Amino acid sequence: MAAYAALVSLAHIIEQIQNHHRPPITLDEEQTKSLCEKISFLQDFLDNYPFQFHLESEIADLAHSAEDIIESRIVDQIFLEASISHGSERSSHNFFSQDLQKVIQGMDLIKKEVVQFQEKRGTQDVMPKYSIRSSDLSAFTPTKNNTFVGFDEIFLDIISRLTEQCPALQILPIVGMGGIGKTTLARNVYDHSFVLCYLDIRVWVTISQEFRVREIFLTALFCPNKGNPNENFAKFADEMSRVGLHELGLRLYRILSGRRFLIIMDDMWSIEAWKKLKFFFPKGNDGSRIMITTRLSVVASYFGTCSIKMNFLDEDKSWELLSKTVFGKECCPLELKDIGEKIAKKCRGLPLSVVLVGGLLASSEKTQKNWEFDAENLSPILNLKDDEHCSKILSLSYDYLPAHLKPCFLYMGVFPEDSEIRVSWLVKLWIAEGFLKPIKSKSLEAVARAY
């Protein structure tokens, strides 16, 4: 979605020049009107057409060219005012207008092609427009109420194992394929009121494929004080930057010693992480527990035969989860129930698929026609093999994002996996990149936080 971000950035520059009390350059009124009209038209098109358009790179190039021309003109104007005559200034302005006119003509050609594209396609292959407000974002955010379905027995079994009268340190692996709900289950256990009352300390660390022992230690040490904003974690990490790895481990050991703790090690891919960390977990007789989530049976089996395997949801539970994701506590309208059950069945019992598809349905108009259209378009993806199925389902949550949020989401790729991202940094970076669509009476910082 580089095209959309480029158009937003160009529109923002034009607006800044127009609203500046002493603009560095003067834009021709007719050219500005024409350029703004085409920017708005192309933005609206990209907003309403969620999938990649074959001329997106050309749109981005033209927007970047216009931005370069305007910014170069601003720089030239500074030098012109200082050292060049008015005659040369007029000549320079003529070149500026000509260059900008070429960009406008290029956008005009693309606009004509877009109109032809719309007339040719009509509504074919174009998904319904999704208007996502801040109040709708809960539909895309898994919560305890609408995603914890179908694993009640497993949940009660885990709570029983965590609180049973066995003083020795116990390790409880939870195993299942990606998207089956391991982390959601662990999070519900971690936050459960009974567990909170029973334990002295809770620690949550994410391991991942490429784990970093120092960051795991820092996260574990910071967890007892959790509830502070990420900025405090960054400050804490900075303060600990001179402390050696072994000393960090000893500090964790001292904090945990003599206390009943629960450590959740989420998303473990190999036993190497365990081998590096286990020496710093006290083996006292105080009823402490360690939970491990993994998608690999070989990792779970390393800890013995006590692992809990998570299986797929049945059709009834899949529909229950989909219905809760879409409607919350409200009942599904009767006219949507049959088509909704068919969509839930196509998710093949994978909670991740159900929740993501439910999020898409929740943000669209809840009519039988729309849901039948969605079911038809989702079928080729939901019928893929397991690995492809998961990947494509995840890509749907990107495809259905509004165009202005796509570049913001893709920008997350500049950060390392599982790293803490400071919101204040991210806001500044998005603003600097020109990703934000200005909203009257709101600062760019406020817009970024809403995004």
Side-chain angles (χ1 to χ4, degrees), residues 142-162:
T143 65
K144 282 176 273 189
N145 290 334
N146 67 7
T147 59
F148 192 58
V149 171
F151 300 112
D152 294 3
E153 291 183 9
I154 294 178
F155 176 77
L156 293 174
D157 182 27
I158 292 173
I159 295 293
S160 175
R161 294 198 199 190
L162 292 179

Side-chain angles (χ1 to χ4, degrees), residues 61-72:
D61 288 344
L62 284 168
H64 288 312
S65 295
E67 196 169 323
D68 289 342
I69 291 167
I70 292 171
E71 289 177 346
S72 296

Side-chain angles (χ1 to χ4, degrees), residues 2-102:
Y4 193 91
L7 291 169
V8 169
S9 181
L10 175 58
H12 184 50
I13 285 177
I14 294 172
E15 184 182 24
Q16 283 184 314
I17 293 172
Q18 290 178 319
N19 295 332
H20 200 284
H21 68 285
R22 290 182 61 191
I25 62 172
T26 302
L27 296 174
D28 180 81
E29 188 175 337
E30 288 299 319
Q31 280 190 327
T32 305
K33 182 179 178 181
S34 177
L35 188 58
C36 289
E37 183 270 327
K38 288 169 179 59
I39 291 172
S40 179
F41 173 84
L42 293 173
Q43 279 183 320
D44 286 343
F45 169 71
L46 294 174
D47 259 331
N48 288 292
Y49 190 79
F51 301 115
Q52 189 170 4
F53 180 55
H54 67 285
L55 289 176
E56 275 194 37
S57 59
E58 286 84 349
I59 295 172
D61 288 344
L62 284 168
H64 288 312
S65 295
E67 196 169 323
D68 289 342
I69 291 167
I70 292 171
E71 289 177 346
S72 296
R73 172 61 182 165
I74 292 172
V75 173
D76 290 344
Q77 183 67 19
I78 293 170
F79 287 106
L80 283 166
E81 289 180 353
S83 60
I84 301 181
S85 68
H86 292 292
S88 297
E89 184 177 345
R90 281 195 299 273
S91 175
S92 174
H93 180 76
N94 289 337
F95 284 123
F96 165 69
S97 297
Q98 290 169 11
D99 291 341
L100 201 57
Q101 190 60 36
K102 289 178 182 177

Side-chain angles (χ1 to χ4, degrees), residues 215-266:
E215 290 188 17
I216 293 172
F217 278 148
L218 289 175
T219 303
L221 287 167
F222 189 70
C223 263
N225 301 314
K226 210 163 185 178
N228 297 327
N230 284 350
E231 283 77 358
N232 284 1
F233 176 81
K235 182 180 178 181
F236 173 75
D238 185 58
E239 291 171 353
M240 295 290 106
S241 60
R242 296 181 184 179
V243 179
L245 200 60
H246 188 73
E247 175 60 26
L248 287 176
L250 290 177
R251 290 190 184 197
L252 177 62
Y253 183 89
R254 288 193 287 268
I255 289 174
L256 297 176
S257 293
R259 299 179 180 179
R260 185 185 291 139
F261 60 80
L262 168 64
I263 298 174
I264 294 185
M265 304 177 72
D266 188 36

Side-chain angles (χ1 to χ4, degrees), residues 393-439:
I393 281 291
L394 287 170
S395 71
L396 277 179
S397 61
Y398 169 77
D399 290 337
Y400 275 76
L401 275 179
H404 63 277
L405 293 183
K406 287 184 177 180
C408 296
F409 174 78
L410 293 177
Y411 195 76
M412 295 298 185
V414 306
F415 298 98
E417 183 182 6
D418 291 320
S419 65
E420 295 280 350
I421 302 172
R422 293 181 65 176
V423 172
S424 58
W425 290 355
L426 188 62
V427 164
K428 292 181 177 69
L429 289 167
W430 278 353
I431 292 172
E433 295 288 353
F435 290 157
L436 308 181
K437 191 174 182 179
I439 299 175

Side-chain angles (χ1 to χ4, degrees), residues 308-350:
I308 291 178
K309 181 174 175 59
M310 296 187 68
N311 297 311
F312 294 100
L313 299 174
D314 60 28
E315 290 183 14
D316 289 339
K317 292 298 182 183
S318 293
W319 166 237
E320 181 184 347
L321 177 57
L322 183 70
S323 181
K324 284 188 176 183
T325 304
V326 178
F327 300 104
K329 295 181 180 180
E330 297 178 7
C331 293
C332 171
L334 288 176
E335 67 269 17
L336 296 179
K337 192 171 185 295
D338 286 344
I339 185 65
E341 288 177 343
K342 290 177 183 177
I343 294 174
K345 183 179 179 180
K346 289 178 182 291
C347 293
R348 304 206 303 253
L350 186 66

